[in-house]
Amino acid sequence: MDQHHDHTGVGESPGATRLYLAAQANDEAVLNAILASPAARRDQLNAIESARGWTPLFVACAKGFASIVRLLIDAEANQGLVDFAGWTAKEHAVFRGHLQVAKLLATQEFERHSAPSARLQPRARRPVDYRRQSVSSQIFVYLGPSHTRSNLEPVELGVHSRGYMDASDKTSFGVMIKAQGTSDNLSYSIQLPIMENMVNEPVSFSTEDPEKVTLIFELFRSTSTSDKNEEVIGTGIALLQSLRQGLAPKRESLIRHYTVPILQNGLMTSIGAVTFSVLVITPFQLENPPPKTSLGFWKERGSYPVVGHRGSGANSTVRTELQVGENTFQSFLTAIERGACGVEFDVQLTKDYRPVIYHDFFVKETGGDIPLHGLTFDQFEHLSRSQAPRSNLLSSGEQRYLERNNPDKLRPKARSHSDNKYDDYRSQDLLERIRYTEAGLHGNFKGNLRGCSIQEPSTILEQLLTKLPESVAFDLEIKYPMLWEAEDRNMEFFAIELNFYVDTILAMIFRHCGDRNITLSSFSPEVCIALACKQQAFPILLISKAGSVPVSDVRAGSLQGAIEFATAWDLAGVVMLSDPFVMCPRLLTYAKNAGLVVCSYGHLNNDPECALIQVDARLDAIITDKAHLISQALAKIKR
């Protein structure tokens, strides 16, 4: 049963020309043959189909077919046309995450003004039915894998299912999803074939004990000749407890889809298989009364909200100015001194479950690709201390001398850098050590590295919550790996169990947040779902790379995916890579009109002109490496 999904929202095209169909099919040979005819080229190059007002260039942009777009541009296709909804071809490409395709196209002046029509969205999505701060666990299930690199279909019917086909070919199939061991007696009927990804439309169950839940998938058929409305012909069963076995305690697989056979009722013969994805969210147990609700860092009073990225900025090999080690306490202080109203930083857990501030998944200072969750806090802290100048590392003899002769037990003042030649050798030794790590082999830069920035000791979440002034707003990003990241970075396909991970970080925040304005954010849709279910005190933002890198999750790969996910789960908004908004500012206004808070990050946010383009389109807040420069540029902007 062919159930491949078209995530572009591109459907049938009545009135389409042969050139349009060739572009839609990504068929270069046919396209070139048609364009070779002057008459066909004249009649079909800019001809529109009757459903959306799209030309061949529009459909090629919407589907991300770069080679087809180049051919049409070379043939002088009109890039200035708008469709029936008021969108340009370039806006369709950017919206769907095809940024490299969009860069081939010219910018139209009107793209910088009013938002495109909301008619682009095929339909309004029903918000997901979930319970905030529920005392019960919630189980979310949808058919098919969320991982689009998987070739698995939601339901595959085998040869033994053909006996259930009606001779008149009027047989339809569906799946009924039920659960035993839940608090509710719910069942969900889903008709086949599934024409689009269900990742934002899961079915949900509540339970007091997820380990005792059994998921049941009943395959039913309907025919025009049957007396029965729906006849169940086979069943698949999955025990939630068995799906999570094989890993150490407090660990879970990043692969969240599973396949079980469908056994024919009575005969127990396999007639197919069902693939489903499942996410279990357990309740967060509050130790203290919940804090007052935060408004979000974009609600900071005064001038336009500028947020320091990893403090005073992500470290870079392009060193045009002095760099303080990213995600360090000194970096956060520097950002505030330079005009930022808040700071953005990354939180992860160590092997012994201490929330620390660190960006990369791998701790490259080890000389290998060791994940942060593979190091204890003491090991992690030692790697940071070992980068300090030699003058800070006392020998046992020096330590005894100070203890005898220094009544106040004072150590020499620590220094973040040294002119000692031996320290220079040690810096080079550290750079040499990371050469054969995954990042070193690919030329990726490591932040807060001695010899490349003013290296500072690593910090922990508790220190930021208790030591930074409470007036400093936080954009607290919870780092958690996604399956596609693990694949692309050669990481292992497991991590600390999601609920325990999020709960540990939330407990630290709730314990020390005081009256601080805190926003929670993550690239991981699963983390955002967990945060939405577990608490209401802090607003939640999904962060997205907007299509700048290939991903395998439709929620994480484009502005379209981010908007649909954020609205489905009732999040406060999104934090997008700034490139789409600089290329097509009307899309920022479109996202705002969807009822979302919209912020941005990225290297373009270090350019005052790019910042002003986005602010003019109603950007709520900007995250930047150059807080002083951007805050000065935006100082006179009225909010």
Side-chain angles (χ1 to χ4, degrees):
M1 181 176 291
D2 185 8
Q3 298 173 135
H4 288 288
H5 312 122
D6 182 357
H7 305 301
T8 63
V10 178
E12 296 182 358
S13 306
T17 64
R18 289 179 60 237
L19 186 66
Y20 183 98
L21 296 175
Q24 187 178 40
N26 198 24
D27 193 328
E28 291 186 43
V30 172
L31 191 95
N32 278 319
I34 297 172
L35 291 175
S37 166
R41 179 170 172 169
R42 181 187 65 245
D43 295 339
Q44 299 185 38
L45 183 60
N46 295 311
I48 63 172
E49 49 80 57
S50 57
R52 302 175 185 81
W54 283 11
T55 68
L57 182 63
F58 273 85
V59 72
C61 285
K63 285 182 166 288
F65 296 152
S67 59
I68 298 293
V69 170
R70 289 191 188 94
L71 290 172
L72 293 170
I73 291 175
D74 291 343
E76 299 182 351
N78 188 342
Q79 299 181 43
L81 297 176
V82 295
D83 63 13
F84 295 157
W87 290 61
T88 66
K90 184 175 182 178
E91 286 172 331
H92 280 290
V94 170
F95 185 63
R96 292 168 171 81
H98 308 309
L99 300 188
Q100 295 307 313
V101 169
K103 290 177 181 178
L104 301 173
L105 299 159
T107 297
Q108 308 302 318
E109 184 59 32
F110 59 83
E111 289 178 343
R112 297 188 180 276
H113 298 289
S114 61
S117 167
R119 282 184 291 163
L120 178 73
Q121 293 285 52
R123 61 187 175 87
R125 291 186 177 274
R126 174 183 59 85
V128 176
D129 181 20
Y130 72 96
R131 301 173 186 175
R132 294 180 182 270
Q133 289 186 269
S134 172
V135 295
S136 301
S137 295
Q138 299 182 74
I139 302 171
F140 301 103
V141 183
Y142 54 88
L143 295 183
S146 62
H147 193 58
T148 57
R149 295 174 185 173
S150 171
N151 293 322
L152 293 171
E153 298 291 347
V155 178
E156 294 183 350
L157 300 182
V159 294
H160 294 289
S161 67
R162 295 175 182 172
Y164 292 99
M165 300 289 185
D166 185 78
S168 63
D169 199 30
K170 293 184 178 180
T171 304
S172 62
F173 293 91
V175 174
M176 184 75 70
I177 304 178
K178 303 178 179 179
Q180 291 181 349
T182 60
S183 309
D184 32 37
N185 188 28
L186 299 175
S187 60
Y188 301 88
S189 178
I190 300 173
Q191 292 293 324
L192 301 178
I194 299 171
M195 301 309 296
E196 62 180 56
N197 196 295
M198 289 183 59
V199 69
N200 286 323
E201 297 183 4
V203 301
S204 61
F205 303 95
S206 295
T207 180
E208 300 303 317
D209 186 357
E211 299 296 312
K212 296 181 180 179
V213 171
T214 299
L215 295 177
I216 302 171
F217 303 89
E218 294 179 345
L219 178 68
F220 63 84
R221 69 162 183 168
S222 302
T223 67
S224 58
T225 58
S226 173
D227 294 333
K228 299 180 180 179
N229 233 356
E230 295 178 349
E231 176 189 5
V232 176
I233 61 175
T235 305
I237 295 177
L239 306 176
L240 278 192
Q241 183 179 19
S242 67
L243 299 179
R244 304 169 68 86
Q245 292 178 351
L247 291 173
K250 295 186 174 65
R251 296 293 187 273
E252 74 170 308
S253 173
L254 298 178
I255 302 173
R256 292 191 170 85
H257 60 268
Y258 308 90
T259 301
V260 295
I262 300 173
L263 300 182
Q264 183 179 3
N265 287 357
L267 298 178
M268 303 302 290
T269 302
S270 176
I271 58 174
V274 58
T275 296
F276 63 97
S277 298
V278 61
L279 178 65
V280 178
I281 303 298
T282 58
F284 173 55
Q285 304 296 334
L286 291 173
E287 299 177 0
N288 303 303
K292 72 174 187 179
T293 302
S294 287
L295 298 177
F297 59 80
W298 57 91
K299 292 286 189 179
E300 285 296 298
R301 295 179 180 177
S303 59
Y304 189 86
V306 174
V307 177
H309 183 220
R310 304 184 202 170
S312 61
N315 296 153
S316 168
T317 51
V318 184
R319 286 174 286 171
T320 57
E321 58 186 24
L322 198 63
Q323 296 185 101
V324 180
E326 65 181 41
N327 272 332
T328 62
F329 195 80
Q330 182 58 52
S331 183
F332 299 126
L333 291 177
T334 303
I336 302 308
E337 291 171 357
R338 292 182 176 181
C341 69
V343 290
E344 181 273 346
F345 54 88
D346 314 277
V347 181
Q348 299 187 66
L349 294 188
T350 59
K351 186 178 182 179
D352 47 354
Y353 314 126
R354 293 284 296 277
V356 298
I357 312 303
Y358 196 76
H359 175 265
D360 296 359
F361 288 119
F362 289 138
V363 184
K364 303 169 188 66
E365 295 93 321
T366 61
D369 295 329
I370 309 299
L372 181 60
H373 66 72
L375 297 175
T376 65
F377 174 72
D378 287 341
Q379 292 168 340
F380 171 74
E381 191 177 40
H382 174 71
L383 287 170
S384 177
R385 290 199 314 265
S386 66
Q387 292 191 59
R390 186 66 179 178
S391 55
N392 292 337
L393 302 178
L394 303 181
S395 66
S396 58
E398 291 171 326
Q399 183 67 42
R400 288 194 299 272
Y401 175 83
L402 285 175
E403 289 173 353
R404 288 195 304 267
N405 296 281
N406 189 342
D408 296 323
K409 303 296 188 294
L410 296 177
R411 289 178 59 98
K413 182 176 174 59
R415 293 181 291 166
S416 60
H417 66 280
S418 173
D419 295 327
N420 190 309
K421 290 185 177 180
Y422 181 73
D423 290 327
D424 291 336
Y425 295 147
R426 292 175 63 243
S427 298
Q428 293 302 315
D429 179 68
L430 182 60
L431 292 172
E432 181 66 23
R433 190 192 312 164
I434 69 173
R435 173 181 291 189
Y436 293 103
T437 63
E438 185 265 345
L441 290 172
H442 292 88
N444 295 331
F445 184 69
K446 168 68 184 68
N448 195 28
L449 196 68
R450 179 164 180 77
C452 300
S453 63
I454 301 178
Q455 194 271 339
E456 288 285 330
S458 298
T459 188
I460 60 176
L461 178 58
E462 183 176 3
Q463 182 185 21
L464 296 190
L465 287 166
T466 57
K467 301 299 183 184
L468 277 182
E470 203 170 81
S471 58
V472 178
F474 282 0
D475 176 12
L476 192 156
E477 177 190 338
I478 298 180
K479 296 279 288 190
Y480 195 83
M482 291 175 278
L483 180 56
W484 66 266
E485 290 177 307
E487 289 181 339
D488 293 349
R489 301 178 187 182
N490 296 314
M491 298 164 59
E492 294 178 321
F493 289 2
F494 72 89
I496 297 174
E497 195 273 328
L498 178 70
N499 286 285
F500 178 77
Y501 192 96
V502 172
D503 289 353
T504 302
I505 295 172
L506 282 179
M508 180 66 70
I509 298 170
F510 275 52
R511 194 176 303 129
H512 299 294
C513 64
D515 292 330
R516 190 184 303 276
N517 188 355
I518 296 177
T519 301
L520 305 177
S521 61
S522 184
F523 281 97
S524 165
E526 282 74 24
V527 167
C528 290
I529 292 171
L531 291 170
C533 293
K534 292 174 182 290
Q535 60 85 44
Q536 298 184 68
F538 308 112
I540 306 159
L541 304 177
L542 173 74
I543 317 172
S544 174
K545 296 180 184 292
S548 60
V549 296
V551 304
S552 65
D553 190 323
V554 297
R555 301 167 294 183
S558 66
L559 177 60
Q560 178 184 23
I563 290 174
E564 291 181 354
F565 174 76
T567 53
W569 290 93
D570 198 25
L571 305 186
V574 295
V575 181
M576 304 299 299
L577 183 71
S578 54
D579 297 48
F581 297 150
V582 174
M583 285 194 282
C584 298
R586 293 202 308 166
L587 293 181
L588 196 161
T589 309
Y590 174 83
K592 290 280 295 177
N593 290 346
L596 298 173
V597 169
V598 182
C599 310
S600 71
Y601 74 99
H603 72 279
L604 293 182
N605 283 0
N606 300 330
D607 182 336
E609 182 180 350
C610 294
L612 288 168
I613 288 173
Q614 297 174 83
V615 170
D616 186 54
R618 297 167 50 204
L619 185 74
D620 286 294
I622 189 165
I623 301 170
T624 177
D625 298 317
K626 298 185 181 296
H628 182 64
L629 176 66
I630 300 304
S631 61
Q632 282 190 322
L634 304 181
K636 297 181 180 180
I637 299 293
K638 291 185 178 180
R639 300 180 62 188

